């Protein structure tokens, strides 16, 4: 395997324009002869599929959701970044680029990030034209707010439901294409394997989740926009059905997996209440604009009513440690600081595993109506879950797994190491390095889908020859048999433990050993524990029901089986990366004040892992990262 | 920690759309009031699966009240007893210990049952396909600030756009009407200048498609608004009716 990032030459400002010009075009009359298979209908998948359909390609969209509108992107709350500089506070393409590279702790590819910043403004234009009801000022123009990791206000938002509104915009464009007949939608359909013919991605094998039918689909290119793998931790802020199945199975067919250990823990989530917990709920980090994070200075105060703790006895530790950014430091820093506070025994709440996020001062300064307008729905959500009123009592928050920066390796064209397999959105690794800044995932998903992939996929189609393959080809037969065999093997499981039960055990291993703080001994142990759990899964899982029917136990078991394999690579990557950077904090590598210590000499590269076959150690390939425009420096938010 | 509860879940079980369904009682003990209603179903399913029995099929995804995937008629009310709350946001503390809780799928001709508590809501997608969009191609948009939108209109459009497409409005209506769902989309786009060009065509086509899908007519009883987890107001139905009239008059 050879990694060729295909970064265009020339100054960073001109790369994309030049590349677009040099990319071959498909003759308009020929577009309808090409079929593109898009897996996933989140922001990345829906925007790509709609745009490709508009261009005249034949598109098929597969999603396990019952409607494309329900993809996980719908849950994004806080907002989407763009360097429009509407507030006139000094933003620019360059600043957004700089902030993203720095926020990612210098582990992202400059050229991709620059393009993202360049195209960010177009995304907002596009969404507004679709009728996305972004927040506005009294003059009728768009409003902005600030978000972690930036000192300018560049975040566009639609109340606390930005993801919902952006996704509905993309979904509506997709529905328009479905009506026009360019796009066929396959809801309740799960991708289970990729078909590679003569080195090109030529098809997918799916399972109809209602009838259980396993089907072959032939195309000229395949797009995976299947989201992140945060649910490998079992508890995360991701939707219940988010999974690693699509990217993992493509990895086993030859797509390199990059930086799997770069996972993001979000600082502001509602704390765990008990063993029944099925997911964690995020409280948008926009709350940190007006909420102040604190813990009691004295351990003995931790179970007191917070209202009775005088100002002088409170430790606003983010404001104290990071006076320049205060409560708006990037996520990894805020999360680790909360963990430290709780590890020191100063955490609040019955479990001692939470910190306060307090709005009293803002409510006093701005009045409750202003706070309600900004965060009303988040406050309601908090109260619904915890039965506590955050207007009167500080919220309690704790970090939770939220986002995965790692993903399938892609080049500048967003193509994986398998020709014809494109990977968009959270599923790829490309833009966020070791840590993603708030409000940048929505931007990336839509940038990939609306403005990058439609060009680069065209370039691939125009510059490659395609053999007259049918879905009777041996590669299709082999892949279908593999899927069928996998389903049958799971259904023959007559052990004692359910897939969900295994998933919880896996999550616990990862959270303890590969969560906010990691070390070599713990990771080595985790790798052994995961292998043992996987062996037990093979022997002892129980999956009731049949294959030819809607069978949610079977769906869960398939996903957990993949998580159990993938988790080992995640830990292996974390073990090999013997430095701290962004969301990857190795306890062995920190400054005296507990800040992450990078090792640029040894680790300024993307770790892209090649699958070497079952039971064999994966092969590490390195893509060296050059920082020609943003100079390598220690991140400081002080 | 508050004391745990005991409840009986009386759940509709139905293998598929061609077979008959029936209620089955499942007693559960040691239920934490902190746990969500769907987590209670998870606990039950884990027990069923461990015994090799078919788990209860139900839809959910985000579990934070935004994706619209969860459904369920709980003790006679879509999304259960709490106002402005989806099933996935409902907690066991809303029930009494010892209670028997009836759990059924949405019941509507246009939402056929797929299995147990899962129904097919693809009719909603087809209604949107008929016109619930602005016809703008990628890349052709003018600068976002070139068209100011009065804040009040933007806010009202957002009130309508919040619809999560769960179908509770249909499930609550005696006639299984989809007026609130359609009205929310029609109003969202009619309130914004971006949606004006296709305003007439949109409302006519969406209403025609709604009828074709087998949804009933509006009862004017506002049962839909009462159960809507996002609090979408029936005023939008009046607005849609005006849009429809206007389309006819000036058509
Ligand atoms: C609670 C929450 C709040 C967030 N808030 C923000 C925010 O304010 N700003 C921001 O920028 N980012 C935010 N994020 C992150 C952001 O929402 C996601 O990173 C982004 O939406 C991912 O989009 P996507 O299109 O890549 O994937 P997704 O939206 O996850 O879509 C994945 C799609 O793939 C399909 N799929 C997956 N696997 C399969 C399979 N095997 N077969 C068939 N289909 C499959 C799914 O059905 C789905 O349609 C938030 C995330 C969470 C969890
Ligand atoms: S599961 Fe998403 S709204 Fe209930």
């Amino acid at each position: 395997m050879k990694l060729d990032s295909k970064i265009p030459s020339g100054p960073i400002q001109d790369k994309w324009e030049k590349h677009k010009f040099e990319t071959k075009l498909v003759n308009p009359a020929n577009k309808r002869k090409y079929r593109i298979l898009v897996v996933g209908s989140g922001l990345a998948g829906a925007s790509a599929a709609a745009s490709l359909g508009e261009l005249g390609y034949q598109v098929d969209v597969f999603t396990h959701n019952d409607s494309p509108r329900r993809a996980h992107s719908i849950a994004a709350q806080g907002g989407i970044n763009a360097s429009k500089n509407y507030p006139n506070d000094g933003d620019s393409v360059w600043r957004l680029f700089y902030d993203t590279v720095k926020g990612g702790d210098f582990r992202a590819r400059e050229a991709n990030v620059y393009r993202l910043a360049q195209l960010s403004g177009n995304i907002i234009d596009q969404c507004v034209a679709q009728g996305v009801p972004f927040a506005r000022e009294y003059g009728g123009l768009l409003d902005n707010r600030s978000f972690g990791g930036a000192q300018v206000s560049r975040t566009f938002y639609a109340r606390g439901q930005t993801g919902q509104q952006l996704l509905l915009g993309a979904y509506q464009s997709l529905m328009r294409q479905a009506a026009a007949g360019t796009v066929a939608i396959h809801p309740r359909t799960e991708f289970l394997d990729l078909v590679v013919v003569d080195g090109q991605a030529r098809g997918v094998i799916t399972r109809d989740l209602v009838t259980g039918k396993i089907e072959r689909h032939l195309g000229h290119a395949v797009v995976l926009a299947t989201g992140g793998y945060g649910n490998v931790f079992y508890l995360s802020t991701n939707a219940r059905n988010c999974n690693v199945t699509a990217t993992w199975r493509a990895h086993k067919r030859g797509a390199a997996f990059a930086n799997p250990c770069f996972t993001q823990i979000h600082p502001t989530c509602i704390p765990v209440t008990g063993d029944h917990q099925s997911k964690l709920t995020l409280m948008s980090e926009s709350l940190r604009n007006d909420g102040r994070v604190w813990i009691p200075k004295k351990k003995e105060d931790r179970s007191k009513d917070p209202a009775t703790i005088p100002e002088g006895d409170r430790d606003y530790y983010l404001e104290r440690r990071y006076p320049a950014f205060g409560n708006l430091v990037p996520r990894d820093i805020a999360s680790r600081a909360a963990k430290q506070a709780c590890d020191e025994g100063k955490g609040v709440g019955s479990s001692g595993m939470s910190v306060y996020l307090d709005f009293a001062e803002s409510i006093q300064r701005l009045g409750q109506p202003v706070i309600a307008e900004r965060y009303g729905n988040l406050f309601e959500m908090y109260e619904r879950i915890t039965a506590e009123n955050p207007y009167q009592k500080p919220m309690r928050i704790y970090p939770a797994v939220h986002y995965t920066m790692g993903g399938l390796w892609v080049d500048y064209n967003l193509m994986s190491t398998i020709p014809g397999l494109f990977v968009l959105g959270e599923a790829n690794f490309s833009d966020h390095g070791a840590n993603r800044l708030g409000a940048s995932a929505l931007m990336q998903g839509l940038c990939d889908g609306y403005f990058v992939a439609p060009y680069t996929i065209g370039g691939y189609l125009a510059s490659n020859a395609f053999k007259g393959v049918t879905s009777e080809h041996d590669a299709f037969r082999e892949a279908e048999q593999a899927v069928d065999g996998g389903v049958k093997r799971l259904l023959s499981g007559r052990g004692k433990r359910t897939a969900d039960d295994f998933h919880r055990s896996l999550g616990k291993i990862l959270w303890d050993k590969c969560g906010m703080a990691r070390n070599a001994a713990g990771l080595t142990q985790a790798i052994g524990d995961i292998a043992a759990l996987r062996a037990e899964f093979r022997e002892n899982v129980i999956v009731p029901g049949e294959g030819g029917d809607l069978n949610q136990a079977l769906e869960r078991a398939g996903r957990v089986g993949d998580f159990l394999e993938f988790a080992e690579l995640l830990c292996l990557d974390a073990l090999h990366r013997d430095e701290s950077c962004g969301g990857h904090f190795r306890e062995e590598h920190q400054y005296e004040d507990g800040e992450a210590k990078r090792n640029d000499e040894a680790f300024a590269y993307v770790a892209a892992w090649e699958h070497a076959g079952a039971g064999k150690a994966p092969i590490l390939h390195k893509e060296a990262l050059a920082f020609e425009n943003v100079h390598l420096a220690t991140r400081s938010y002080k | 920690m508050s004391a745990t509860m005991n409840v009986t879940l009386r759940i509709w079980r139905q293998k598929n759309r061609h077979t008959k369904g029936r209620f089955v009682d499942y007693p559960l003990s040691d239920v934490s009031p902190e746990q969500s209603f769907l987590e209670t179903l998870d606990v039950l399913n884990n027990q069923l699966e461990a015994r090799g029995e078919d788990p209860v099929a139900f839809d959910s995804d985000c579990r934070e009240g935004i994706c619209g995937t969860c459904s369920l008629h709980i003790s006679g009310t879509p999304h259960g007893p709490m106002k402005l709350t989806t099933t996935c946001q409902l907690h066991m503390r809303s029930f009494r210990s010892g209670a028997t809780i009836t759990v059924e799928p949405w019941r509507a001709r246009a939402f056929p049952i797929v299995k147990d508590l899962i129904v097919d809501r693809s009719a909603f997608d087809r209604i949107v396909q008929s016109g619930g969009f602005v016809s703008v191609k990628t890349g052709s948009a003018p600068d976002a600030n070139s068209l100011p939108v009065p804040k009040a209109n933007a806010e009202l459009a957002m009130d309508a756009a919040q619809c999560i497409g769960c179908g509770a409005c249909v499930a609550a209506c005696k006639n299984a009407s989809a007026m609130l769902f359609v009205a929310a989309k029609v109003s969202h786009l009619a309130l914004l200048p971006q949606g004006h060009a296709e305003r007439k065509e949109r409302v006519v086509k969406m209403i025609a498609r709604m009828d074709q899908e087998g949804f009933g007519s509006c009862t004017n009883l506002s049962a839909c608004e009462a159960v809507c987890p996002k609090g979408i107001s029936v005023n939008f139905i009046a607005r849609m009716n005006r849009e429809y009239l206007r389309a006819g008059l000036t058509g």
Side-chain angles (χ1 to χ4, degrees), chain B residues 5-83:
Chain B
M5 334 165 32
N6 301 327
V7 294
T8 298
L9 297 180
R10 176 165 296 164
I11 301 178
W12 184 260
R13 303 295 314 254
Q14 180 171 342
K15 193 163 165 43
N16 56 46
R17 70 177 75 178
H18 310 294
T19 55
K20 270 174 94 177
R22 65 192 176 96
F23 283 107
V24 179
D25 281 2
Y26 298 95
L28 285 172
S29 50
D30 275 337
V31 174
S32 157
E34 306 289 331
Q35 90 194 33
S36 77
F37 190 76
L38 293 185
E39 284 166 353
T40 307
L41 285 180
D42 291 341
V43 170
L44 169 64
N45 275 347
N46 223 14
Q47 293 172 3
L48 293 175
E49 276 179 44
R51 296 200 296 257
E53 292 174 35
D54 240 3
V56 177
F58 67 93
D59 268 329
S60 81
D61 205 15
C62 75
R63 298 211 175 177
E64 36 187 87
I66 191 72
C67 71
T69 307
C70 65
S71 52
L72 306 190
H73 230 105
I74 301 169
S75 297
T77 312
H79 289 308
M82 294 286 286
K83 286 239 173 279

Side-chain angles (χ1 to χ4, degrees), chain A residues 131 171-172 384 498 556, chain B residues 46 49 64 93 125 185 188:
Chain A
Y171 157 79
Q172 285 163 201
R384 211 170 291 132
T498 64
R556 283 191 280 271
Chain B
N46 223 14
E49 276 179 44
E64 36 187 87
R93 56 177 171 263
D125 288 327
K185 189 47 58 192
H188 157 211

Side-chain angles (χ1 to χ4, degrees), chain A residues 229 231-235 244 497 499-514 526-527 529-531 533-534 537 559-568 570-571:
Chain A
Y229 50 83
N231 276 354
V232 68
F233 288 84
Y234 189 71
L235 286 183
V244 78
R497 285 180 72 183
D500 209 51
D501 198 22
F502 278 99
H503 196 174
R504 271 174 207 275
S505 301
L506 175 65
K508 187 158 170 17
I509 297 173
L510 288 176
W511 181 245
D512 289 345
K513 303 277 164 29
C514 197
I527 291 170
D529 291 352
I530 292 165
L533 192 64
R534 198 166 54 228
F537 180 80
R559 292 173 192 158
V560 173
D562 290 330
F563 278 136
L564 281 164
E565 293 182 9
F566 167 71
E568 187 169 330
L570 171 60
C571 292

Side-chain angles (χ1 to χ4, degrees), chain A residues 176-441:
Chain A
R176 175 170 164 257
Q177 291 309 304
T182 59
V183 176
I185 313 270
H186 308 262
R188 291 199 197 273
T189 304
E190 186 161 47
F191 166 97
L192 290 179
D193 212 347
L194 178 75
V195 184
V196 181
V197 179
D198 297 334
Q200 285 175 324
R202 288 303 303 270
V204 303
I205 306 291
T206 59
R207 180 169 178 274
D208 181 319
L209 297 180
V210 177
T211 64
K213 199 159 173 257
I214 293 171
E215 287 167 321
R216 308 174 186 186
H217 304 269
L218 173 72
H220 297 92
V222 176
V223 176
L224 291 188
T226 49
Y229 50 83
N231 276 354
V232 68
F233 288 84
Y234 189 71
L235 286 183
S236 85
T237 62
N238 289 10
R240 280 286 279 180
N241 299 310
C242 290
N243 63 85
V244 78
T245 292
T247 46
W248 182 248
R249 295 192 182 187
H251 171 64
K252 288 173 58 175
R253 292 281 174 194
F257 212 113
N259 299 336
C261 80
F262 289 165
T263 52
Q264 180 168 79
I265 313 250
H266 195 290
T268 54
C269 302
I270 299 181
V272 174
T273 59
D275 290 340
H276 51 262
Q277 195 97 25
S278 62
K279 77 155 280 177
L280 294 170
T281 301
L282 173 80
M283 290 281 99
S284 166
E285 100 184 291
S286 60
L287 292 169
R288 289 198 275 143
N289 273 311
D290 290 305
R292 300 177 67 195
V293 176
W294 64 275
I295 48 166
K297 280 187 183 156
K298 297 183 248 167
K299 277 189 201 172
E300 56 273 25
D301 281 355
R302 54 166 225 89
S303 358
K304 278 198 191 151
D305 175 0
T308 65
I309 303 178
E311 275 298 311
D313 287 346
R314 301 174 176 196
D315 181 9
Y316 295 90
Y317 57 88
L318 290 177
E319 296 169 26
R320 173 171 57 79
R321 288 171 59 182
Y322 307 97
F325 280 69
N327 292 295
L328 290 177
V329 291
R331 294 177 172 174
D332 53 332
I333 294 179
S335 294
R336 245 180 349 260
K339 177 180 183 321
Q340 261 170 20
C342 296
D343 288 352
E344 284 167 15
K346 293 178 184 166
V348 297
S350 57
S351 63
M353 293 307 274
S354 53
V355 299
Y356 289 125
L357 179 63
D358 197 335
F359 291 86
E361 194 256 348
S362 303
I363 291 174
Q364 206 168 32
R365 183 164 42 88
L366 303 165
Q368 181 156 331
V370 173
I371 296 298
E373 195 198 4
R374 285 188 190 162
Y375 312 109
N377 65 322
L378 295 172
F379 278 38
E380 279 163 27
M381 176 143 91
Y382 181 85
E383 184 167 3
R384 211 170 291 132
I385 294 175
T386 62
E388 286 175 6
N389 179 346
Y391 292 105
Q392 288 157 9
K393 203 172 168 192
M395 282 186 179
R396 283 181 304 105
I397 52 163
Y398 197 65
V401 173
H402 177 58
Y403 182 86
T404 54
M405 283 73 68
L408 291 183
W409 184 90
V410 288
D411 63 15
Y412 189 71
N413 293 315
L414 304 182
M415 191 165 87
S416 70
T417 51
I418 302 175
L421 176 68
F422 292 79
V423 190
L424 319 185
E426 192 173 339
N428 73 26
F429 88 104
S430 76
D431 296 352
H432 307 294
N435 174 55
R436 174 176 71 78
L437 292 182
S440 285

